[in-house]
Amino acid sequence: MDKAIRNDIYDQAVKWVLEAGTIIRDEMNAPLNIETKSNPNDLVTVLDKRIEAFFVQNIKEKYSNHFIIGEEGYGDSVTSLDGTIWIIDPIDGTMNFVHQRRNFAISVGVYQDGIGEIGIIYDVMSDVLYHAKKGEGAYKNNQQLPQLTSDVKLTNAIIGMNHFWLCENRLIDEKTMQNFVKKVRGTRTYGSAALEFAYTAEGIENGYLSIGLAPWDVAAGIVIVNEVGGVTSDIDGNEVNMLEKTSILTCNPILKDEIITFIRNGRK
């Protein structure tokens, strides 16, 4: 993507993300009209839908030839990564939004012909913006994030992972994951994949594992993690398919092979 075009899209995207954050903060205490989607724990609110519609309207008015993949279905039916594609999660961590009123984020990734060009993750309640443009570094607000440390080991690593590894996944032996938890220094669960990616880029976590995430959960985070020297793949080490739901490993590259080997040894 041409740098001038990328800068224009980035400026617009940041503007819209901050505006969307203001809408959420102003209206989050109104009745939420909570619904469920795939299961009783897969929540969506009227604000999820409104924020996605807000992005879609603005993008289509400004960039009529761009495509949109959105969690709530207001975007396009995309079957190819050709062209410019916005991948949006209006509220990543809806359960946290409903129950905690915190630990959720707006996530916007912009891809050109399958390549991540822009990543924006906005922690709405903390007013913290993680953002990156391809080849230009990653930032937390106005502070550039340093490259990931080279001296981390799995035994002193903090890894983000949720309880699904231990109680619901039938692909990985549960004992293997229990041993994994014992091997690392500690694990954390924040309930928002976007924030887990941001914390990995920041170095607060050394990696993040999840069984099944959609493109809108990871698109922005992949760009941001890339810019600090991190890597993202599925749990077998394969490139992430941005059109499908998949397992995810994002981490300091020093840890990647060891984590993948650990998980592979527990495959059923």
Side-chain angles (χ1 to χ4, degrees):
M1 178 181 287
D2 178 79
K3 185 174 181 179
I5 294 174
R6 182 169 62 224
N7 287 342
D8 174 72
I9 295 172
Y10 166 83
D11 289 342
Q12 289 293 331
V14 169
K15 176 178 179 289
W16 293 331
V17 165
L18 295 177
E19 288 179 5
T22 299
I23 294 171
I24 292 172
R25 287 190 297 268
D26 287 348
E27 301 191 14
M28 65 184 300
N29 292 317
L32 292 176
N33 187 25
I34 303 165
E35 301 174 3
T36 60
K37 295 188 288 187
S38 62
N39 63 68
N41 295 324
D42 187 7
L43 306 180
V44 62
T45 72
V46 65
L47 264 181
D48 291 84
K49 297 177 180 180
R50 178 178 173 185
I51 296 303
E52 184 165 310
F54 165 84
F55 279 111
V56 170
Q57 179 178 350
N58 280 285
I59 294 165
K60 290 299 186 181
E61 288 178 355
K62 178 71 176 179
Y63 307 107
S64 60
N65 62 330
H66 290 190
F67 301 98
I68 302 168
I69 298 174
E71 180 174 13
E72 308 310 334
Y74 289 89
D76 301 299
S77 178
V78 175
T79 58
S80 165
L81 292 176
D82 295 341
T84 305
I85 301 177
W86 296 62
I87 307 177
I88 299 170
D89 194 336
I91 300 179
D92 183 73
T94 300
M95 188 178 294
N96 289 348
F97 170 68
V98 169
H99 288 275
Q100 303 173 356
R101 298 298 199 268
R102 57 180 297 180
N103 293 327
F104 62 90
I106 299 170
S107 178
V108 176
V110 182
Y111 282 61
Q112 178 69 38
D113 297 326
I115 297 173
E117 297 281 350
I118 295 168
I120 301 168
I121 295 171
Y122 184 42
D123 184 337
V124 175
M125 300 312 293
S126 298
D127 191 25
V128 173
L129 186 74
Y130 296 88
H131 51 107
K133 290 180 279 186
K134 184 178 180 294
E136 299 185 32
Y139 292 79
K140 178 183 180 182
N141 292 331
N142 296 322
Q143 184 76 35
Q144 184 168 2
L145 298 176
Q147 294 292 291
L148 298 180
T149 180
S150 60
D151 62 358
V152 66
K153 300 177 181 178
L154 197 56
T155 52
N156 64 8
I158 300 293
I159 303 296
M161 56 183 294
N162 55 41
H163 68 283
F164 296 117
W165 286 100
L166 301 177
C167 68
E168 290 192 7
N169 186 25
R170 296 297 178 259
L171 297 176
I172 311 295
D173 178 68
E174 293 177 12
K175 186 65 176 178
T176 297
M177 298 314 297
Q178 290 169 3
N179 290 335
F180 180 80
V181 170
K182 292 177 183 178
K183 185 175 181 65
V184 301
R185 173 166 285 173
T187 61
R188 297 292 182 268
T189 301
Y190 291 98
S192 164
L195 290 179
E196 302 268 16
F197 267 85
Y199 297 157
T200 298
E202 190 176 358
I204 293 173
E205 295 181 348
N206 303 110
Y208 170 58
L209 281 164
S210 188
I211 292 173
L213 293 179
W216 46 79
D217 297 313
V218 304
I222 289 174
V223 178
I224 295 171
V225 167
N226 283 349
E227 288 300 307
V228 296
V231 292
T232 305
S233 69
D234 68 14
I235 60 172
D236 293 311
N238 302 313
E239 184 177 352
V240 176
N241 185 333
M242 295 307 297
L243 293 177
E244 296 180 356
K245 191 172 184 179
T246 186
S247 61
I248 287 292
L249 166 63
T250 190
C251 64
N252 188 307
I254 294 172
L255 302 177
K256 179 182 176 181
D257 289 344
E258 189 173 0
I259 292 174
I260 289 173
T261 299
F262 209 111
I263 294 173
R264 183 180 294 127
N265 289 339
R267 277 294 182 108
K268 295 182 179 179

